[in-house]
Amino acid sequence: LGKGPGGVSLNGTYKNRSSSSYQRDLGISLVNICRIVPHGVLVFFPSYAALEQMANAWRQPVKAYGKSVMEQIERHKHVIIEPRHSSQFGAAMTDFR
């Protein structure tokens, strides 16, 4: 995908990842992917900081949709976010199963 549903370039550079329009379009693109792809979807981020930034942004309500991006994703897939600390990894794996 080169652009999101709002026409924003999905170029995930450090500079772009703070842009609310980038965050929104990446999230809505992911909602659409989760809606049509059967079974699971695995999403990678270049760092825990990028993961946390997107997850935090996606937990905020989107006025146009009335729900957060995360709520929309969770309508289609069970979301598990990899923990930063290895001591929490076992709980995440249990949640996965």
Side-chain angles (χ1 to χ4, degrees):
L1 296 173
K3 292 185 178 184
V8 175
S9 173
L10 297 179
N11 182 354
T13 62
Y14 179 79
K15 176 184 170 187
N16 287 346
R17 78 177 192 210
S18 295
S19 161
S20 60
S21 58
Y22 167 77
Q23 293 169 350
R24 183 186 58 249
D25 260 28
L26 180 62
I28 298 303
S29 295
L30 186 55
V31 169
N32 290 334
I33 290 167
C34 289
R35 185 174 42 81
I36 61 174
V37 171
H39 310 297
V41 173
L42 186 60
V43 179
F44 290 95
F45 290 91
S47 66
Y48 281 108
L51 165 65
E52 291 167 355
Q53 186 174 23
M54 289 302 125
N56 288 335
W58 294 344
R59 287 184 183 108
Q60 304 306 311
V62 177
K63 290 179 185 176
Y65 299 103
K67 294 184 178 186
S68 71
V69 168
M70 192 66 78
E71 288 173 309
Q72 293 177 66
I73 292 170
E74 289 172 337
R75 287 182 58 210
H76 305 287
K77 306 290 182 208
H78 180 68
V79 175
I80 300 170
I81 297 177
E82 181 182 1
R84 185 182 282 256
H85 302 288
S86 61
S87 63
Q88 299 169 328
F89 190 74
M93 287 304 296
T94 300
D95 190 29
F96 173 72
R97 293 182 185 138

